[in-house]
Structure formats: C-alpha cells, structure tokens
Amino acid sequence: MKGLIIKDLMSLRKMRATFVFVTVSSFVITVMALISARCGNIALAEREYLAGGTDLQMSPVHMLWYAVAVMVILPLATIGDTLTLAFEADKNSGFEAVAGALPLSVKQRVTARFITLFLTCGTGTVISLALSFILSLFTDIMTLGDFAGLVLSAASLILIFSALEMILIFLLKMNNADSVRIIALLIMTAVFIISASGRIIDAMRAMKTTELITDGLIFLENRWFILACAAAVCLLISYFVSTGVAERKRGEI
Amino acid sequence: MDNYTNVIELDNVVKDYGDFKLDNISFDVPMGSVCGFIGQNGAGKTTTIRILLDVIRADSGEIRLFGEDVKGNAPRLREDIGVVYDEMGFHEFMTAKDINIMMKHIYKNWDEKVFFDYLKKFSLPSKKKCGDFSRGMRMKLQIAVAMSHNAKLLVLDEPTAGLDPIVRNEILDIFREFVLEEDHSIFISSHITGDLEKIADEVVFIDGGRIFLKGNKDEILESHGILKCRKDELDSISKSLIVNVQEGAFGIDVLINDRKAAAKLYPELVIDRASLEEIMLFYVASSRR
C-alpha cells in the first residue's frame, strides 16, 4: 500500500510545484500588503477614510481583510484537485491494469488513495498554518486564531470536496475529471445556498452583500470545527461507499 | 515442497457480460510448464486472465492458483505472480528508479538487486522516463518488474504483440531462461502462434469465450494434419477425422484430427503437418459455420 501512496505522491509532482509557487507568491503579496497597512499607502488610505476624507463605502483595512483571507486560502485551494489528478494520472497511463495484478486488495487500493489525500491536505495545512503564524506577526487585522480558523476551514472544505469527488468517481463511475469537479462544486454550492438561504435573501433585500461576505469570513475564522466535523462525516461516508462500490465493481474502476 | 501439481486451475468458469460470455472455461496449467493461450482478438483471453488474477470476479466456477482458491487469497497469491500486459501501464513520468521505489514497498519479496541486474541485462536506463522508452524497452521493463520479486508464475498477456522479430526472440529467450527453474511456470496469451510454437509445452485454444482445444502442444501438432484432396475425394474421407474443410484454388484442404489414422486409411493422399495457426484458423472457422 505504501508503494501506491509513493506512486500517487510522485504523480502529484506538478501539483506540488503549483502549490509552492502559489504559496510563496501569496505569502509575499500578503506580507507586502500587511506592511503597507501598517506604514504604507494602505495605512494612509485608512487614516484618510477614518477622517472622512474619502467616499469609499468600506474601510481599506476591511477590504484588506477580505484580500488576506483569500490569500491565506489560495495555497490550500491548489491541492483541492489531488484526487482527480491522481485518478487521471492512473487512467492516462493504464495503471489500473497494473494495480489489479499487485498483491493488494481493492480496499487497500482505495485506502491508499485516501491516505494520499490526507497527506497532501495535511502537508498543505501545516505549511499554511506556519505561514499564518508569520503573517500574524505583521498585523493586528487578524489574530493567529483567525488565520488558523481560516486555514482549517479551507482544509475542511477541500476534504468535503474530495470526499464528494471520490463518491462521484466510484459510485457513478465517472471518468471525466472535469465533470467530477463541476458536479462536486455544484453540490457544495447548492448545500451552501440552501443552508444560508435566509441570510442570502436578507442581504440581497438590504443591498448589503458585503455583510454576507463579512459574516462568511467570520464564520470561517471562528466556526471551523463545524466544517471539520462535516468533513469527517463526509470522508467516512465516502470511504465506506467507495470501498464497497470498488469491491462490487472490481475491474471496472 | 509445494503440494500442488497445477499452478492454474480453472473449472467451469462463467462470466457473462451480456454481449460477451466466457462459457464454462476449464483448463489446467501444470507446474513447470509454459502454457500458450491462443485466440484471436476478442476471443476472451484478457477476460480469462483478469478472472484468474481475481481482478474481476467470475459469475460461477472455481479458480485455483498454486492449489488455492483465489477468492479471499488473491492479494497474497499475487505475491508469487509476475504479470506483463501488452501495454506498459506505468506512469510515463516514472523512471525505472521510481518504479523500484514503488515496487519495493508493494512486494514483500522485491529484490532491487535483481531488478537493476535485469535493467542492465536489457540495456534499460534507470534514470530515463519510461514514457520515452520504445515499445520493446517498455515490454522489457515490465518483464524486469515481473521477474524481480521471485515470482513462480508469469502471466503474460500478448507480451510480444507489436514487437519486431528480433526483440520478440530476445523476450522469448528471457522466458525460456525463466522456466529453467523447475517450479517456474508461464501462462502466455497470444494470437502470434509462431511465438507459442517456439516456447509452449501446453496450449489452450479459445474462441468466442469457449475453449475448443487444449492439451500438449507436441501431441496436438502431431495428431493434426492438413490433408490435400480433390472435391470428389472429400466424400470418401471419414467424417470423424475431419475438423474443417477449406476450399482453395488448387483443391481442398482438410484439417484432420488424427494424422496417423488418416495416413493409414488414405495412403494415396498427401497429409502435411499443421501449424498452430492453421489449427486455430480451421477450428475457429468450424465453430462459426
């Protein structure tokens, strides 16, 4: 099983390069923006806004908070594709035939894929948390707890997305990676809209869409454990469904 | 000492896909032998191989490897099996070194020294991406992998298809060397009957999901023959000897299943030896009549 995980990690080399590039870039941009908020142009704009010398609808620091949140989530988003990339790599090379002849059970093969997902997502989370710690030293806009909450929420969302992808790949025998990604995203979006429909309608009626974003960010920063629990449930369901289906449809997937 | 005589035993195996059915397949591969599995494309060779490796489950029937039922034991039994497909199956970005790292964490008996020795023997670079390998090199890489974990059985699915005669001969030599060990066996599927004629001890013919002939290769070649006659002579030939008849420009070719008996009964007629390919073609045409 360890061999399959190693193979999956090798096939994700491209993703690793993207992750490093996005992480370094977003880290550098965020540090520069935070320094600017302390003693640069953003700090000047904030002072002007507070003095009422500008017609901006929102405080520059508040806008910066949105941007920093996106920058913190961005690196993790690049590893959201781990599963489909690994499946695609196997499919393109015809590795399924080789895997079927290896001294491994179907369950071990599915488990290996989940472990690969945990390893990539775990590594991404740890790196993002470490960078968040550094970022928290540069600003008062967000505490380390806020940064960590955002990172853990993003990691949980990625795990939920991957759990959905896994079910789509196994249960629906979907071979097209793009369809898998789109359907998983649509399901998550639908769940979000349904669960927050009241808030969304209220914000739309009051023409205060930014409040919706602010509420969303506050939720991600402080209620990450709700998403983490949802991710754990989704992953458990996904694992049992995937192993069951893979065993039943052995040779086809 | 291993307490089995057949490395592969298939007993009344059925797999029904609706549009294709493996219909009561039964055959054995004795330990220490090379068994050729002959059939044209789509005859059911790969499906049979996938069933015997437990990659897919049969609808009914029994499959035993090394004397043990594959159900529930397949992953353990596959430790002793090296598999080579007609397509490589390894990721194109992987080098032989990468494959070694992967395989040594999969096979308990993986021997990296043996693997790198094979790479050297086959002149395969260890640091070059296998996506850049030629077809012959890819096959050799698969063979190196299949033979580097002390496998007792090689299962080869069309390993020589699409290769030039020189590489094909090289590969057959490797297989010959492998079966020098008395507990080593090979199950090789191919539609290139010439290769099997060179290497196989036993042969199993399959067409349309059914086994139509099996046995010792030499005995099959010895017993079968192509009798040449005119149209008017055909009626005098015993029907029990005739497998199938093919009309040619200069007369009629009749595949007979008992060459010695035919030679005694019809000494005036010419009876040539039949090749495995001719035997396959006559039987296939006969079953489709």
Side-chain angles (χ1 to χ4, degrees):
Chain A
M1 192 164 74
K2 202 172 154 190
L4 286 188
I5 298 165
I6 291 169
K7 182 267 305 169
D8 275 349
L9 294 176
M10 284 176 182
S11 70
L12 295 172
R13 277 172 188 157
K14 251 191 220 168
M15 195 195 71
R16 199 170 55 198
T18 312
F19 175 75
V20 170
F21 174 75
V22 173
T23 305
V24 171
S25 317
S26 57
F27 178 72
V28 170
I29 292 167
T30 309
V31 166
M32 286 165 71
L34 292 177
I35 291 170
S36 174
R38 187 168 269 194
C39 52
N41 287 337
I42 297 175
L44 286 174
E46 180 70 6
R47 254 178 259 147
E48 207 173 320
Y49 173 81
L50 291 174
T54 171
D55 54 356
L56 281 173
Q57 296 292 311
M58 193 190 284
S59 134
V61 169
H62 199 90
M63 281 193 271
L64 178 67
W65 176 48
Y66 287 175
V68 169
V70 171
M71 288 298 185
V72 169
I73 292 170
L74 209 55
L76 269 172
T78 60
I79 58 169
D81 230 8
T82 304
L83 269 185
T84 43
L85 283 176
F87 273 107
E88 260 184 324
D90 279 4
K91 191 186 151 209
N92 293 339
S93 63
F95 186 78
E96 292 106 328
V98 176
L102 297 174
L104 297 168
S105 65
V106 171
K107 193 177 174 183
Q108 282 175 309
R109 283 161 53 195
V110 176
T111 307
R113 191 122 292 174
F114 272 92
I115 293 173
T116 305
L117 172 67
F118 291 138
L119 283 175
T120 48
C121 197
T123 309
T125 306
V126 168
I127 293 170
S128 293
L129 283 174
L131 295 179
S132 296
F133 171 72
I134 300 168
L135 289 177
S136 69
L137 302 175
F138 286 90
T139 183
D140 301 325
I141 301 171
M142 289 167 79
T143 64
L144 176 60
D146 294 337
F147 276 114
L150 259 181
V151 169
L152 293 171
S153 290
S156 303
L157 285 171
I158 283 165
L159 289 175
I160 294 170
F161 176 70
S162 301
L164 284 172
E165 282 188 322
M166 199 73 143
I167 288 181
L168 289 169
I169 290 166
F170 280 104
L171 195 62
L172 303 180
K173 224 179 118 184
M174 294 185 71
N175 290 322
N176 188 327
D178 288 333
S179 309
V180 169
R181 287 182 196 112
I182 291 165
I183 294 173
L185 268 177
L186 285 176
I187 292 170
M188 288 179 72
T189 311
V191 170
F192 166 72
I193 290 171
I194 291 165
S195 59
S197 54
R199 282 264 176 89
I200 295 169
I201 292 165
D202 289 346
M204 298 289 241
R205 276 190 188 145
M207 302 287 280
K208 287 179 177 173
T209 46
T210 51
E211 269 183 22
L212 194 67
I213 301 169
T214 305
D215 286 351
L217 275 180
I218 290 169
F219 178 85
L220 291 178
E221 284 176 1
N222 302 309
R223 298 276 185 270
W224 60 268
F225 48 87
I226 295 173
L227 290 172
C229 290
V233 172
C234 288
L235 283 166
L236 267 177
I237 294 169
S238 178
Y239 177 72
F240 287 113
V241 170
S242 302
T243 45
V245 174
E247 188 64 54
R248 197 157 42 84
K249 292 184 178 176
R250 48 171 49 226
E252 293 176 38
I253 299 168
Chain B
M1 183 69 191
D2 301 313
N3 55 353
Y4 56 86
T5 50
N6 296 318
V7 282
I8 299 173
E9 290 174 53
L10 265 73
D11 197 7
N12 293 316
V13 171
V14 175
K15 179 76 184 175
D16 195 350
Y17 284 111
D19 55 344
F20 177 77
K21 186 180 180 185
L22 272 191
D23 203 357
N24 275 307
I25 300 272
S26 299
F27 64 86
D28 302 329
V29 177
M31 181 167 67
S33 70
V34 178
C35 178
F37 194 37
I38 306 172
Q40 55 183 350
N41 294 330
K45 300 189 297 290
T46 302
T47 307
T48 308
I49 286 175
R50 282 156 66 88
I51 284 175
L52 73 86
L53 290 171
D54 202 38
V55 175
I56 51 172
R57 287 263 157 89
D59 298 336
S60 63
E62 284 181 31
I63 305 118
R64 280 181 294 277
L65 292 173
F66 309 110
E68 286 188 63
D69 195 328
V70 291
K71 269 181 204 158
N73 299 314
R76 180 173 51 81
L77 294 171
R78 286 196 291 248
E79 280 282 355
D80 291 328
I81 304 174
V83 182
V84 175
Y85 292 105
D86 59 339
E87 293 294 336
M88 181 176 66
F90 294 117
H91 295 257
E92 300 215 328
F93 63 82
M94 289 181 106
T95 63
K97 265 190 165 180
D98 292 337
I99 291 168
N100 173 58
I101 293 168
M102 174 174 77
M103 289 305 182
K104 77 177 175 189
H105 290 102
I106 288 178
Y107 285 102
K108 283 179 193 150
N109 297 326
W110 182 259
D111 191 332
E112 56 184 326
K113 190 186 171 303
V114 171
F115 179 66
F116 284 108
D117 284 348
Y118 272 120
L119 292 184
K120 208 180 259 179
K121 189 176 171 185
F122 298 159
S123 308
L124 294 174
S126 61
K127 290 177 186 170
K128 190 177 176 180
K129 286 179 184 175
C130 58
D132 298 332
F133 282 8
S134 68
R135 185 167 167 77
M137 289 165 87
R138 287 173 182 216
M139 292 314 295
K140 285 177 182 172
L141 177 65
Q142 278 202 85
I143 293 165
V145 171
M147 290 165 61
S148 298
H149 54 92
N150 293 312
K152 290 178 187 162
L153 168 66
L154 286 186
V155 175
L156 315 163
D157 189 8
E158 305 271 6
T160 53
L163 296 176
D164 65 66
I166 294 165
V167 178
R168 261 170 42 203
N169 267 326
E170 275 177 35
I171 287 175
L172 292 180
D173 284 341
I174 296 161
F175 297 154
R176 277 192 200 101
E177 208 175 292
F178 176 79
V179 283
L180 287 177
E181 296 266 344
E182 62 176 334
D183 63 339
H184 283 185
S185 318
I186 295 179
F187 181 66
I188 175 170
S189 93
S190 183
H191 60 269
I192 306 170
T193 50
D195 290 346
L196 299 179
E197 217 155 316
K198 288 179 194 165
I199 191 174
D201 306 310
E202 305 285 321
V203 282
V204 177
F205 289 82
I206 186 170
D207 184 55
R210 286 177 175 216
I211 304 286
F212 61 84
L213 186 65
K214 60 186 173 184
N216 181 276
K217 179 197 74 182
D218 293 335
E219 284 172 15
I220 286 174
L221 288 174
E222 193 58 37
S223 62
H224 287 79
I226 293 179
L227 184 147
K228 309 221 177 245
C229 65
R230 293 192 309 272
K231 241 182 186 176
D232 56 303
E233 291 169 326
L234 184 62
D235 291 339
S236 64
I237 298 166
S238 167
K239 295 279 179 285
S240 63
L241 288 174
I242 299 174
V243 174
N244 197 15
V245 176
Q246 272 183 9
E247 225 170 298
F250 304 104
I252 288 176
D253 288 349
V254 183
L255 182 75
I256 48 164
N257 55 25
D258 191 339
R259 197 152 55 99
K260 278 182 186 161
K264 270 186 193 167
L265 287 168
Y266 317 107
E268 72 283 4
L269 296 175
V270 175
I271 306 172
D272 291 337
R273 293 181 77 94
S275 65
L276 286 178
E277 185 172 331
E278 285 166 328
I279 293 170
M280 179 179 84
L281 292 174
F282 272 90
Y283 269 98
V284 167
S286 162
S287 67
R288 288 177 184 185
R289 254 194 329 204

